[in-house]
Amino acid sequence: MAESFTHDHDVLVIGAGGAGLRAAIEAAAAGVKVGLVCKSLLGKAHTVMAEGGVAAALAHVDDRDSWRVHFADTMRGGQYLNNPRMAELHAKEAPERVRELEAWGALFDRTREGKILQRNFGGHRYPRLAHVGDRTGLEMIRTLQDHGIHQGIEVFMEVTVVELLKDGDRVSGCVAYDRERGKMHLFKAKSIVMATGGIGRAYKITSNSWEYTGDGQSLAYHAGAELLDMEFVQFHPTGMVWPPSVRGILVTEGVRGEGGVLRNKAGKRFMFDDIPDNYKAQTADNEEEGWRYCQGDKNARRPPELLTRDHVARCIMREVKGGRGSPNGGVFLDVAWIKPHVPGGAEHIKKKLPSMYHQFKELAGIDITQVPMEVGPTTHYIMGGVRVDADTQMSTVPGLFAAGECAAGLHGANRLGGNSLSDLIVFGKRAGEYAAKFAKENGGVQIDRAQVEAAECMVLEPFGRSAAENAYAVQHDLQNTMQDLVGIVRNEGEMAQAVDKVAELARRAAVVGVSGNREYNPGWHTAIDLRNLLTVSEAVARSALLRKESRGGHFREDYPDKDKRFGTVNHAIRKGADGQMEVFEVAVPTPSDELQAVIKEMG
Amino acid sequence: MAKTTFSIYRGDSEGGQFADYQTEVGEGMVVLDCVHQIQAESAPDLAVRWNCKAGKCGSCSAEVNGKPRLMCMTRMSDLPEGETVTLEPLKAFPRLRDLVTDVSWNYGVKQGIAKFAPRAPDAEDGTWRMQQEDIDRVQEFRKCIECFLCQDVCHVLRDHRKHGEFAGPRHFVYAAALEMHPLDTADRVEALKEQEGLGYCNITKCCTTVCPEGITITDNAIIPLKERVVDRHYDPMRSLVRGLIGR
Ligand SMILES: Cc1cc2nc3c(=O)[nH]c(=O)nc-3n(C[C@H](O)[C@H](O)[C@H](O)COP(=O)(O)OP(=O)(O)OC[C@H]3O[C@@H](n4cnc5c(N)ncnc54)[C@H](O)[C@@H]3O)c2cc1C
Ligand code: SF4
Ligand code: SF4
Ligand code: FES
């Protein structure tokens, strides 16, 4: 067997979301030969779906903002499991990266003085999110795409990478197939940037698309790289719950930023009932103050609806479990109530939240300017991912870099809204820069034919097993397993069961059969994705089992409190010599003296 | 719950035919949900493109009962009850397999349009100032999700196959966004006339009708571009354009 196409690049970027595009642009600017591979068409990556905004301390709306406040907010939100150096770089460099988007054609909403407007978002002390209505991700990916196509980058659309190759310790390329014809491709590269996004398809209720099968995390792991923080999955508090077929689709936090409030079936704003101690000083204790905050009153504190996502999600779960939820198993999110209090009434809501208005109107037949939405938690984001060096984004495998959602470190135990889009451009740029540098400083690589053939074999095997297990059925069972056993509220017994079930599903996946031929065959693609989904699911379950406390996105009913000891360690994962997954503790990096002082000062 | 019959085009670049599938339609389901259900139940190799399932990525374009639409935003309850639903790929582009077409031509056309070229920053902080009212129109154009439904419905591409000479409504929206960008300094007027074939558009407005983002393609993008061309050249469409915009 042989691949149909071979390609040779200095830097190969896998993934064309915000992180991948930004990395490719930067690498190309360094004058090396760059390839960019993505599973879907250019401009369709997950980044396109981001709604609320990109966080950067531009201080256009509130001049008290600075990188130091943004840094402190990010650390507090991440419950101090973040890599402090990454949080520092992110806070310092995000403003420059956002301005750069403007220089490349992005048109963010404006302040009255004609500057980039910023909005409030959960966990951010000041209005910090640059945005375009509620389609910020579209603006960002289109800007990067339209700029990127003129930089001499070679783009491979609808090409899926299935295995990384190694030359000794170093990464040397990858094997991929194209969806259109099902032909195999061999990519040789001096360095590789992983920018493949998240793992949401491991869960049944998710805001993520089919692409989110954890490919980057899984491929890096199988190539010998370490993963970090995989127990920290973010469940966004507000996904659609009705109709059933749209369950999980995101309802942006921007709704709450604009003044939307959460109520239970009795009409009570239940978020006031449970404000964590470390947020009490910055949270409004009455409705009137919360509303003033949403209207831009600098002396007001934010409403409890804008507490961090992990907390809001659990409060919603508590209402639902306590029988105080809405008819379809969620709670009410009401933005219609602001109408009498804003100029323009319903029109104001439509202007501020156009795609939400559209989404509910089209998919649920509901007018959000008139009636409350029904919402509930949905799997949204993974804080964990490939373990990288803070400055260069290189993984523990030389020449293999990672950026964006598939990398770990910036967000710790919980990500603040808006901190992902900024993560993509800050660390996408860094990954591209250092991957180019690595390619220049290190010589060529050798391809090991045996590795290539093993990968091609693995990919084509399912065709020989037509009557065996069905890929869709295995995927479906895995999604139910993760949703039920390693979801928002976790415990020892269920997670141990999940580890066993994942192992059993892996046995079923090994005998999955595929019918039809190789051209654009989704059954086959689903079969190939299973290995990655199973790998990341196991990683999530195993790290979660070992974290015997509750923190950020990880909540255990058998250990409902934070444990000081766990506050000093991250969980890392690697593939052991025997091929088994090993989880081990590593110390959270200590912040520099300067950063410690900032944390202390900002509280 | 009642089963609904779907007549779906199955085939590749060489040809194909419609095949019937039955599936149960639950509350609130959209056409794309039904396609996925059919994949899982009876046609695992049925090819379809999709990503977001929320009308945001523009991947799932197809013709539903002959009309270009996003499958993820077409609710079953909005289609005639009890009737067979016909699904086929976009007609303006080469077929690849089943509901998937080769839309790569669009990417090439875009690359041929002169890129954004901002004037030098002129605010003290090294950036620019722009007023919201000066960017409202361009923001409308930038809502485009590149679903190419407008390209599919436009007779110049669909029926007359002028792919070599005509960029299509999507790219007029793209060019208009650049031309009307307050910071841009490049000039695309000559190319719009000579290479992008703006003159072929006879303002049928079909593109505006199908745009899922509600972009007023004809009135807000194409007509102003035509005016710019007219202002510089004689154009056979001149009188028509003038007539339509009431001058
Ligand atoms: C609905 C929604 C709203 C959001 N809103 C916000 C927000 O307002 N603010 C914010 O900061 N964050 C938001 N997020 C999170 C943020 O959008 C994502 O975390 C971010 O866009 C991820 O970007 P990325 O570049 O890492 O990956 P992506 O944009 O997901 O791109 C991944 C790329 O990798 C490719 N790929 C994957 N696997 C392979 C493979 N095996 N071979 C080849 N290519 C592959 C894909 O094709 C794709 O091109 C939101 C997320 C969702 C789902
Ligand atoms: S208005 Fe012009 S571009 Fe739009 S469909 Fe008609 S001819 Fe095509
Ligand atoms: S202009 Fe409208 S119809 Fe055309 S590609 Fe863009 S979103 Fe689709
Ligand atoms: S799947 Fe994204 S628009 Fe339909």
Side-chain angles (χ1 to χ4, degrees):
Chain A
M1 180 190 343
E3 58 282 353
S4 311
F5 303 93
T6 58
H7 316 275
D8 198 341
H9 296 97
D10 293 314
V11 176
L12 184 73
V13 180
I14 307 177
L21 281 164
R22 188 64 192 81
I25 290 169
E26 197 63 19
V32 298
K33 189 179 176 212
V34 182
L36 177 62
V37 196
C38 47
K39 281 212 261 195
S40 44
L41 296 171
L42 204 53
K44 312 293 184 197
H46 227 73
T47 301
V48 81
M49 296 166 73
E51 296 163 351
V54 44
L58 295 158
H60 287 174
V61 174
D62 193 318
D63 57 15
R64 291 172 295 182
D65 204 9
S66 69
W67 77 263
R68 305 164 87 236
V69 190
H70 191 183
F71 165 78
D73 287 351
T74 302
M75 293 296 291
R76 188 187 310 106
Q79 311 257 3
Y80 304 100
L81 287 190
N82 329 52
N83 179 317
R85 173 70 178 153
M86 280 178 84
E88 176 193 6
L89 290 171
H90 168 254
K92 281 183 173 163
E93 293 176 6
E96 197 42 44
R97 295 285 82 76
V98 169
R99 287 189 206 109
E100 182 175 76
L101 291 177
E102 187 162 86
W104 293 347
L107 282 175
F108 293 101
D109 289 352
R110 317 306 294 180
T111 65
R112 248 182 240 118
E113 307 82 66
K115 295 182 183 176
I116 295 173
L117 180 63
Q118 298 180 275
R119 68 157 50 118
N120 287 316
F121 234 57
H124 292 282
R125 184 176 299 194
Y126 302 120
R128 191 176 284 144
L129 269 68
H131 60 277
V132 186
D134 51 9
R135 56 163 190 86
T136 314
L138 170 63
E139 187 68 13
M140 188 154 134
I141 199 166
R142 200 66 83 230
T143 301
L144 292 168
Q145 171 190 348
D146 294 350
H147 182 74
I149 55 174
H150 297 287
Q151 310 305 313
I153 299 160
E154 199 181 352
V155 181
F156 302 85
M157 298 198 282
E158 300 199 311
V159 170
T160 303
V161 175
V162 291
E163 191 81 294
L164 294 178
L165 302 170
K166 302 271 292 281
D167 177 358
D169 280 346
R170 182 181 163 190
V171 78
S172 59
C174 62
V175 173
Y177 68 89
D178 65 71
R179 300 174 86 76
E180 184 181 331
R181 288 153 306 170
K183 298 266 164 74
M184 302 302 299
H185 295 243
L186 168 61
F187 289 89
K188 190 175 169 185
K190 292 183 188 146
S191 59
I192 288 188
V193 179
M194 273 292 176
T196 55
I199 65 143
R201 293 311 281 185
Y203 288 82
K204 183 169 138 202
I205 301 175
T206 176
S207 65
N208 296 173
S209 82
W210 66 269
E211 293 200 299
Y212 266 25
T213 47
D215 297 9
Q217 293 88 343
S218 165
L219 300 184
Y221 164 83
H222 289 292
E226 288 173 13
L227 307 180
L228 198 76
D229 289 340
M230 290 297 285
E231 66 269 45
F232 295 113
V233 176
Q234 180 167 76
F235 298 93
H236 194 290
T238 58
M240 290 178 80
V241 296
W242 190 91
S245 63
V246 303
R247 194 168 190 130
I249 293 182
L250 194 76
V251 179
T252 176
E253 194 167 313
V255 175
R256 283 169 283 144
E258 296 299 339
V261 299
L262 292 167
R263 294 185 205 280
N264 63 19
K265 77 172 179 202
K268 179 164 196 257
R269 274 182 76 178
F270 56 87
M271 286 306 301
F272 279 107
D273 297 352
D274 183 2
I275 301 172
D277 288 339
N278 59 339
Y279 280 96
K280 277 220 164 92
Q282 1 176 315
T283 308
D285 52 18
N286 64 82
E287 303 195 5
E288 184 269 335
E289 181 179 2
W291 172 235
R292 276 195 285 120
Y293 176 90
C294 292
Q295 289 179 300
D297 180 342
K298 293 184 181 174
N299 297 317
R301 294 170 300 174
R302 64 175 159 238
E305 274 85 0
L306 290 176
L307 285 162
T308 54
R309 290 178 175 174
D310 53 328
H311 180 74
V312 179
R314 276 193 302 276
C315 289
I316 292 175
M317 287 291 281
R318 187 191 58 212
E319 293 305 302
V320 174
K321 283 197 170 157
R324 298 181 294 278
S326 64
N328 296 293
V331 295
F332 294 106
L333 172 60
D334 183 6
V335 71
W337 81 272
I338 71 169
K339 266 184 302 177
H341 309 280
V342 290
E347 283 311 311
H348 171 89
I349 299 173
K350 282 191 214 168
K351 164 92 190 140
K352 286 289 177 185
L353 302 163
S355 37
M356 280 307 107
Y357 174 75
H358 197 65
Q359 182 173 311
F360 274 87
K361 193 95 195 158
E362 303 275 317
L363 294 176
I366 281 171
D367 180 350
I368 64 168
T369 68
Q370 303 301 326
V371 290
M373 300 158 246
E374 264 187 85
V375 296
T378 179
T379 314
H380 187 55
Y381 185 88
I382 181 145
M383 275 67 77
V386 180
R387 185 179 185 193
V388 292
D389 173 73
D391 287 78
T392 65
Q393 298 292 106
M394 190 159 89
S395 71
T396 50
V397 169
L400 179 62
F401 297 75
E405 188 167 345
C406 79
L410 170 61
H411 308 293
N414 176 52
R415 171 180 74 95
L416 299 185
N419 267 1
S420 169
L421 291 185
S422 43
D423 173 9
L424 309 183
I425 44 179
V426 167
F427 293 106
K429 174 189 180 285
R430 282 184 166 266
E433 179 182 341
Y434 286 95
K437 188 160 180 277
F438 184 95
K440 284 182 184 170
E441 288 171 359
N442 294 275
V445 282
Q446 293 300 317
I447 295 294
D448 172 1
R449 290 298 318 168
Q451 291 178 29
V452 178
E453 268 147 40
E456 290 176 353
C457 215
M458 170 182 81
V459 170
L460 295 174
E461 258 171 8
F463 282 105
R465 295 190 294 241
S466 305
E469 184 70 66
N470 173 328
Y472 293 102
V474 178
Q475 188 194 52
H476 184 257
D477 290 350
L478 176 65
Q479 289 166 340
N480 280 325
T481 301
M482 292 302 286
Q483 186 77 37
D484 296 344
L485 305 178
V486 202
I488 304 183
V489 177
R490 304 167 170 178
N491 67 49
E492 186 87 21
E494 288 183 352
M495 288 191 291
Q497 209 185 326
V499 171
D500 292 343
K501 282 213 167 175
V502 169
E504 181 196 314
L505 288 163
R507 284 191 289 277
R508 284 173 58 192
V511 294
V512 156
V514 171
S515 60
N517 57 28
R518 279 162 70 173
E519 290 164 30
Y520 224 107
N521 183 342
W524 179 38
H525 306 157
T526 303
I528 297 171
D529 291 344
L530 283 177
R531 178 174 80 138
N532 299 327
L533 274 177
L534 287 160
T535 301
V536 293
S537 297
E538 183 182 350
V540 171
R542 285 194 186 277
S543 337
L545 257 176
L546 288 194
R547 186 168 286 279
K548 296 187 193 308
E549 65 155 357
S550 292
R551 185 182 295 269
H554 172 70
F555 184 81
R556 291 188 55 156
E557 56 193 1
D558 45 356
Y559 299 97
D561 300 315
K562 265 192 266 198
D563 178 334
K564 247 197 162 125
R565 193 188 81 75
F566 281 107
T568 61
V569 293
N570 298 104
H571 283 143
I573 287 184
R574 71 174 158 236
K575 195 171 181 172
D578 57 355
Q580 294 297 306
M581 190 176 276
E582 291 173 2
V583 188
F584 56 102
E585 289 184 357
V586 294
V588 178
T590 317
S592 66
D593 292 346
E594 185 198 3
L595 297 181
Q596 286 191 23
V598 175
I599 291 172
K600 211 174 221 156
E601 180 195 330
M602 305 283 168
Chain B
M1 256 178 265
K3 286 213 175 201
T4 299
T5 304
F6 286 79
S7 176
I8 305 180
Y9 178 83
R10 301 296 312 259
D12 53 24
S13 51
E14 320 268 89
Q17 67 275 317
F18 285 87
D20 282 357
Y21 301 92
Q22 295 214 319
T23 200
E24 212 146 273
V25 177
E27 194 175 21
M29 272 169 75
V30 295
V31 170
L32 185 63
D33 293 321
C34 300
V35 172
H36 284 153
Q37 210 164 283
I38 291 166
Q39 268 181 344
E41 289 165 1
S42 51
D45 62 346
L46 169 60
V48 59
R49 237 189 221 121
W50 68 284
N51 271 38
C52 68
K53 215 174 111 45
K56 294 192 162 81
C57 71
S59 301
C60 64
S61 307
E63 299 197 356
V64 180
N65 292 339
K67 289 209 184 73
R69 306 191 67 159
L70 297 177
M71 286 186 280
C72 72
M73 296 302 277
T74 306
R75 295 182 86 191
M76 289 302 293
S77 56
D78 293 339
L79 300 176
E81 210 186 313
E83 285 175 27
T84 297
V85 179
T86 309
L87 300 180
E88 55 194 314
L90 299 183
K91 297 217 174 73
F93 308 113
R95 290 178 173 179
L96 282 179
R97 172 156 225 106
D98 305 341
L99 299 174
V100 178
T101 53
D102 177 0
V103 292
S104 59
W105 169 78
N106 291 288
Y107 290 83
V109 172
K110 186 189 235 186
Q111 197 148 13
I113 297 172
K115 66 177 185 199
F116 176 63
R119 63 166 195 255
D122 43 20
E124 269 171 23
D125 57 0
T127 65
W128 300 268
R129 297 288 173 272
M130 286 181 264
Q131 292 306 314
Q132 185 62 44
E133 58 267 26
D134 297 332
I135 63 166
D136 278 338
R137 174 55 45 84
V138 183
Q139 284 188 331
E140 176 192 354
F141 300 150
R142 291 182 67 89
K143 286 195 305 193
C144 171
I145 56 173
E146 301 198 329
C147 64
F148 308 129
L149 291 177
C150 56
Q151 306 284 76
D152 185 55
V153 82
C154 177
H155 66 104
V156 184
L157 296 170
R158 189 186 180 91
D159 303 325
H160 306 294
R161 318 301 294 184
K162 295 278 185 202
H163 293 71
E165 304 152 67
F166 181 69
R170 157 54 189 143
H171 298 108
F172 297 140
V173 169
Y174 176 65
L178 289 165
E179 284 288 300
M180 296 179 204
H181 194 301
L183 305 182
D184 183 71
T185 58
D187 182 351
R188 300 169 190 82
V189 173
E190 198 62 30
L192 278 164
K193 178 171 178 285
E194 299 300 332
Q195 277 110 55
E196 277 109 45
L198 186 64
Y200 279 114
C201 162
N202 58 343
I203 318 189
T204 60
K205 302 200 182 191
C206 310
C207 50
T208 303
T209 317
V210 297
C211 178
E213 287 295 307
I215 302 171
T216 324
I217 305 175
T218 349
D219 291 7
N220 289 351
I222 295 181
I223 293 178
L225 288 180
K226 278 180 175 277
E227 275 188 82
R228 289 183 188 208
V229 173
V230 168
D231 283 348
R232 207 172 295 175
H233 292 279
Y234 170 71
D235 181 295
M237 291 302 300
R238 177 181 206 141
S239 48
L240 178 53
V241 174
R242 292 290 189 223
L244 278 173
I245 58 177
R247 260 199 245 155

